[in-house]
Amino acid sequence: MSKIHVTTTVNGDEVEYLCDPRETLLDCLRDRVGMMGVKEGCGTGDCGACSVTVDGRLVCSCLMLGAEAEGKEIGTIEGMADGDQLHPLQQKFIEHAALQCGICTPGILVAAEALLKKNPDPTETELRYWLAGNLCRCTGYDKIIRAVMDAAADMREAS
Amino acid sequence: MALDGSKPQFKLLGTRPNRPDGLDKVTGRARYGADLNAPGQLHGAILRSPHAHARIVSIDASKALALKGVKAVVTRADFATGLTGDDWNMQENCMAGEKALYDGHAVAAVAATTPLLAKDAAKLIEVEYEILPHVTDVDEAMKEGAPVIRDGAADYSVPDGLHPNVVRYYENGKGDLEAGFAEADLIVERSFKTEAAHQGYIEPHACLAQLGTDGQGELWCCTQGHWFVRQMCTAALGIETSQLKVTPSEIGGGFGGKTTVFIDPVALALSRKAGGTPVKLVMSRSEVLRATGPTASASMDIKMGMTKDGRITAASGVFRMQGGAFPGAPVDVTTDLAFANYRIENVHHVGYDVMTNRPKQAAYRAPGAPMAAFACESVVDEMATKLGIDPLDIRLKNGVVEGDRSTYGPKVKKVGLIETLEAAKAHPNYAAPLGPNQGRGVASGYWMNWGGDTSASVAIGEDGAVAVTVGTPDIGGSRASMALMAAETFGIPYENVRVHIADTASLGINEPTHGSRATFASGLAVIQSAKECIQKMCVRAAEKWDIDPDAVTWEDGFAKPSGPNAGDFEPLSIAEIAGEMSDTGGPIAGHFEANPGKFGGSFGTHVVDVEVDPETGRTTILRYLVVQDAGKAIHPSYVEGQFQGGAVQGIGWALNEEYVYGPDGRLQNPIFLDYRVPVASDLPMIDTVIVEVPNPGHPYGVRGVGETGITPPLPAIANAVAAATGVRFTELPLSPPKVLAGIKAAKHA
Amino acid sequence: MPEIHLWSGLRSLADGKEVVEVEGKTVRQVLDDLVAKHPALAPAIAAGVSVAVDGEILPSNKAEPVDEDSEIFLLNKLRGG
């Protein structure tokens, strides 16, 4: 089967890859672009470990084809920190022990950042529903929720 | 190594520093099982049986091998022969032999140049099956006439006359049951069922394997225990353990399910067949759910007797558990721990380990304990309600303390059950007002914990910084607790310690991060190794000062002259001693190899408030409190995290999670959409209280905390639902349709 | 002499005895003596047991000492998750 040539932007950098028409954006980000921070937990859009932004919109990269990324702006966990300056969400996740094994963490951070861009002051309930598409099996979510709320408060203060 | 009473005041233990691997894990840099590639690697795919039980008549891979880019196909013929016992079970589970034993059982595998090609090729492998009758329910599997999974699988313990699917039998007891029940004012007898739940780690199993025709290999994989992986893989392939080096990746959750192997021997066999080319093999979620270990499912009968004032006089239980198509359901633990919270003189319990056409069960957090707790703690709750006694009081009255005779035999050592009950009673959640359709549930649970084979080393660097090397993969922050214990022992800053997880070639053998043992056992090993370093550094200082080594003490990172020489010399820092170690005798390191006992069990008590919607039967968790004995919480945030995570896994098991098999014996819900684990919007905050009753068997008093937390939630929630609805439910999960039907039936009754 | 307590399922393999007096100064020695006295227990011991000596569960170390008045319980081999 002939491959499709895709030109896209990942974390601000232009990248090109050739992909099979059946490959997902998740496959392409991991295997063709080398963004290994994007994780596969289910491949069916249920766990959110592969969360990325596409033109600013939060998506499960396992539910989008790699070929569909042509001309888009993709954001992954690798682009979240500003150089050596961690995003407040990343900092708060470490401080609050909001990760145990850490496999869901990249997806949850990307999802939480997308929420705070839309809604800088979410209620706990709003946050819990927004993150309902991101499974964490280790933490019971308690410390994740606290970390995001704390980061949101800091970000509001800083802005 | 006993509790070090000389150090009541800790400088670092109990603080909450950032975990050393935090940065890697919030930036996406941490490398998990599927994140490593090797030059020239192939990709594997596994063909799995669509049948619950079928004889494999033939396998024809010619069409797959004819595809350009397909490099190898393996079947059971490519594995070692002559294995017995657990090794045979493991090998048979990784790759079917004569029969496919469950839906999802691997029958062949292929390696090709791309993942998609490997999947395409797997579909081209033609397998002829002779379909056999199947059974997936534990009670059905024990009945006369049930399909026999494998004749001759039963061990010595099974009495004559039982179905061949019963492969182990366990019976234990003491006292006079009849007299005990005769003494009771109230007797409650009920039967319970729990369904299989999956560990549900978010990271599917993944590995990168290379095995040459010279029999030497390397394996990178996500595992809780790479020495176990090495033993199992080399057994399955018929090579010596020393020929395989296994390096653990970061691990994306395990909860017991990654203490064994499923795909690693297959990837190694593919690599060997492909001439030593590396093979990467990654499971899909549906493969994980269909073919890796869920927990056992259980069918249980409980009978308990109690006096009017709430003293338990007798208890008996029968526990039937299926662990899939192999022996190994944790029926012994279920049985022994069923009544372990209580001081009961007359006890009898019986357990049956039963085979069915389901995947081989794997350990899942306190394996076997939650089912028993559900049954026993439900009955205790019902009795307390009937006698009008507070559920915490009834546990305070009967709960075990040091010196009591346990229900399973040995005397109880120092434990903290009573302390958790008292803390639960004092917590504001226990006094919170409840509204209509709301109810409160209480339950306690226990896990005896574990020590096990443990190796570690601690090495002093030239600048006085410390490298700690352990063999227990960091599954939930253990690098932080290791660094804290090392830093506390040396009296140096936490940041001056770096913790490494070694591969199988770099330390003596280690059991996995399982049995709640990492902080206890690897921690003890690190402390002991650090003390060896300190002792050596004191000798170096003594030689420099030309005094007796016994006259040197170690304090806050410094060697100091003491006794008659006190004050004679300037203390030497760890950095100063390290800086000249090459001139004073060479490298300084300490190490530990043993299997420590005295691990000290951990009790927990949970209090949960629920609201049950009478229209839909949906249960909402309003408040949740975990109180558990940690002995000593080294890093309290990660102790709380274990409490919270265990509780929420228990909530999932109690309310939603279950394996659903159709009449065809196929798993009906092999994706996360249908196998529904708790999500953030299902839950409130999980409140925690850390009780610290120091373990006399650990220098800093540590008790493992990982597993106990999943034991009380099943009964606590069932008890809360009973309080909210007035209906006693005896089968999990308490899914809305089941609860609604129960409420309606009670109304009509 | 140290006493080994058997779980109910083992008692039929030891002439119905619940408690067996054994000789030995280590876990290995008392287990060996137990099997010598009741050979029908051999497969059970070979299948692997955990041993509790005076209330302390020993993971696997058969060299652990046993006192003259030790109370020993056999348990099914423990496993963890």
Side-chain angles (χ1 to χ4, degrees), chain A residues 2-6 17-23 28 32 66-67:
Chain A
S2 66
K3 297 248 183 354
I4 297 169
H5 178 265
V6 175
Y17 54 79
L18 291 172
C19 68
D20 186 289
R22 293 177 291 167
E23 275 179 271
C28 293
R32 311 255 176 225

Side-chain angles (χ1 to χ4, degrees), chain C residues 4 6 13-15 17 20-24 27-46 74:
Chain C
I4 296 187
L6 305 176
L13 306 173
D15 306 327
K17 282 187 185 158
V20 180
E21 285 201 344
V22 285
E23 285 175 41
V27 169
R28 181 190 312 282
Q29 288 171 3
V30 296
L31 288 180
D32 286 350
D33 192 48
L34 176 68
V35 171
K37 288 192 163 93
H38 299 284
L41 286 169
I45 304 301
L74 297 189

Side-chain angles (χ1 to χ4, degrees), chain A residues 20 22 30 36-37 39-41 46 77 90 94 97 99-103 109 128 132 137-138 140-143, chain B residues 19 26 32 34-35 37 120 198-199 202 204 251 253 285 364 637 640-641 644-645 649 657 673 678 680 683 686:
Chain A
D20 186 289
R22 293 177 291 167
R30 287 178 57 84
M36 289 299 202
K39 304 299 181 192
E40 175 166 341
D46 297 313
I77 186 64
Q90 293 173 307
I94 298 175
L99 56 140
Q100 284 177 31
C101 81
I103 194 85
L109 286 168
R128 284 185 179 277
R137 191 59 159 172
C138 294
Y141 304 100
D142 183 299
K143 293 184 190 301
Chain B
R19 64 191 284 172
V26 299
Y32 292 83
D35 297 345
N37 293 314
D120 288 344
H198 196 274
Q199 295 82 352
I202 305 300
I251 174 171
R285 176 55 52 183
Y364 179 25
S637 294
E640 291 162 2
Q644 292 164 333
Q649 287 186 327
E657 296 178 33
L673 184 65
L683 299 161
I686 308 295

Side-chain angles (χ1 to χ4, degrees), chain B residues 8 100 226 264 334 380 410 692 709 715:
Chain B
H226 33 303
D264 313 75
T334 305
V380 169
E692 293 185 325

